[in-house]
Amino acid sequence: MSAPPNKEDDSGLDVVFRVAEEDLHRPYSGLTLLSQVCIEEGLEVQPMGSQFTGSKYARVSKRVGLRPPINEARTQITLLTNNEVADRSCREIYQYYCKQYKTKPNSLLLSWVYCGDAMVAEPLCTTNHLKLKVPLAQSHLSISCFMSFVACLGRITLHHLHQQLPADKGVFTLQDMELNGNFIGDRGILPLLEVARLNPQLKRMSLHNNGIKNSGVECLVHMCLEHQGLSSLDLSHNRISLGSGKVLQELAKKNKNMVNIVVNDTRIDEQLQQRIEARVKQNRDAKSQG
């Protein structure tokens, strides 16, 4: 009887059988296991036999998590040049890319936000009114009424308010993006990512409960792999699953600045969440030692 092949000599189905024996907890089966193992081992697997040849059998593109992170939509739009970017504000750039990606601007990203725990005040399009959100109530106030309300509180002035996306041209100093519970979705996140690319000091993005799915996370990771300033992502309470878990694990592996990835209350299984956390913990430990 010949000796079993060394791991270095494994290929094709030998790899699948080896992984099936060694990793009994792997949450895949059948062709899913075959696809996942082959991509992790760097193997190119194609159908064999004449019955798979011809135009009748079109090759299906790999799904999220089974391919390097991509943003296909970005290849189909007109990107701003450096000179055009320098002459625009974050707000204008966001609105430009909303048109490019054919999605409606998000009202929160164009809002005035109170720097505290009481309220959010946002301009209403072309009017001179503010919509004031207070706990358990909402009301529409004119600017003068709003300032009267502020005076009554006696502790809030205009300097407590800031714009989510600055309107100053050529200023790209955002350090934090928080857009929780606003349901921007996979399409709505794309213009936001273009703004994030232009803010090198950006460190944290919180997208808790935003209706984002695997394709949106893939585009997010595609941006994060190129953005070496980002260190924290919150994607909890989104309908993301295995594919997102795999690309987020790859992000934590390749971007050593990523020290926090939150995926609580998602469809990513617990074992994969633990592997993601182990990766970011390695990054945290390396930072603390360095």
Side-chain angles (χ1 to χ4, degrees):
M1 179 181 295
S2 60
N6 296 326
K7 291 184 179 181
E8 290 78 5
D9 299 328
D10 286 351
S11 61
L13 288 177
D14 291 333
V15 173
V16 179
F17 292 137
R18 170 169 60 81
V19 172
E21 291 176 356
E22 295 180 358
D23 192 353
L24 299 179
H25 300 292
R26 184 178 288 266
Y28 316 117
S29 63
L31 291 178
T32 305
L33 173 62
L34 174 63
S35 300
Q36 186 65 38
V37 170
C38 287
I39 193 170
E40 289 181 354
E41 297 290 334
L43 300 174
E44 182 67 23
V45 178
Q46 297 181 359
M48 298 178 63
S50 59
Q51 67 271 29
F52 292 103
T53 60
S55 59
K56 181 179 178 181
Y57 296 92
R59 188 172 183 180
V60 179
S61 60
K62 294 173 182 174
R63 300 176 62 184
V64 177
L66 298 179
R67 63 188 179 197
I70 59 175
N71 184 345
E72 293 180 353
R74 195 168 193 257
T75 65
Q76 302 169 12
I77 66 169
T78 303
L79 300 175
L80 293 172
T81 65
N82 290 337
N83 289 337
E84 291 172 330
V85 166
D87 196 40
R88 286 173 166 82
S89 65
C90 285
R91 174 181 294 253
E92 292 170 332
I93 289 171
Y94 173 72
Q95 292 172 319
Y96 170 83
Y97 280 114
C98 282
K99 292 181 180 178
Q100 288 291 309
Y101 284 113
K102 298 179 181 179
T103 185
K104 292 182 179 179
N106 185 279
S107 61
L108 181 59
L109 283 170
L110 300 178
S111 68
W112 288 87
V113 180
Y114 171 66
C115 305
D117 57 2
M119 70 188 74
V120 176
E122 46 184 72
L124 296 180
C125 303
T126 57
T127 70
N128 64 341
H129 285 67
L130 295 176
K131 181 171 67 178
L132 179 66
K133 296 182 181 178
V134 298
L136 306 180
Q138 289 189 2
S139 59
H140 291 260
L141 305 176
S142 66
I143 292 179
S144 59
C145 289
F146 172 72
M147 292 309 297
S148 297
F149 179 81
V150 166
C152 290
L153 290 179
R155 61 184 179 84
I156 302 174
T157 60
L158 284 179
H159 79 270
H160 287 94
L161 302 176
H162 75 275
Q163 291 177 304
Q164 287 279 62
L165 294 179
D168 298 328
K169 297 183 185 297
V171 176
F172 305 104
T173 57
L174 286 175
Q175 297 185 27
D176 187 276
M177 282 189 181
E178 185 166 327
L179 193 66
N180 295 330
N182 218 47
F183 300 100
I184 59 176
D186 289 344
R187 196 73 184 177
I189 197 177
L190 298 179
L192 179 65
L193 298 181
E194 299 300 336
V195 176
R197 291 175 188 274
L198 298 172
N199 284 269
Q201 299 179 39
L202 183 65
K203 298 186 181 301
R204 175 179 173 270
M205 292 185 72
S206 185
L207 299 166
H208 171 104
N209 191 22
N210 263 288
I212 298 172
K213 299 180 182 178
N214 287 350
S215 59
V217 173
E218 181 180 38
C219 294
L220 172 63
V221 169
H222 179 265
M223 182 277 294
C224 291
L225 286 170
E226 301 174 355
H227 195 302
Q228 295 301 308
L230 267 170
S231 60
S232 178
L233 292 176
D234 186 349
L235 290 165
S236 54
H237 292 276
N238 284 291
R239 295 181 62 186
I240 57 179
S241 56
L242 171 65
S244 292
K246 297 302 294 183
V247 294
L248 288 170
Q249 184 182 18
E250 187 71 7
L251 171 63
K253 178 181 178 181
K254 291 186 175 180
N255 188 339
K256 302 301 182 182
N257 287 321
M258 192 60 60
V259 296
N260 187 47
I261 296 178
V262 183
V263 288
N264 299 331
D265 296 302
T266 65
R267 297 179 180 180
I268 300 175
D269 70 85
E270 185 177 350
Q271 290 181 347
L272 185 50
Q273 288 192 34
Q274 290 173 354
R275 290 200 289 268
I276 294 171
E277 175 57 27
R279 283 288 184 183
V280 296
K281 185 179 184 302
Q282 289 179 12
N283 294 342
R284 288 197 297 269
D285 293 344
K287 274 183 171 290
S288 63
Q289 295 173 4

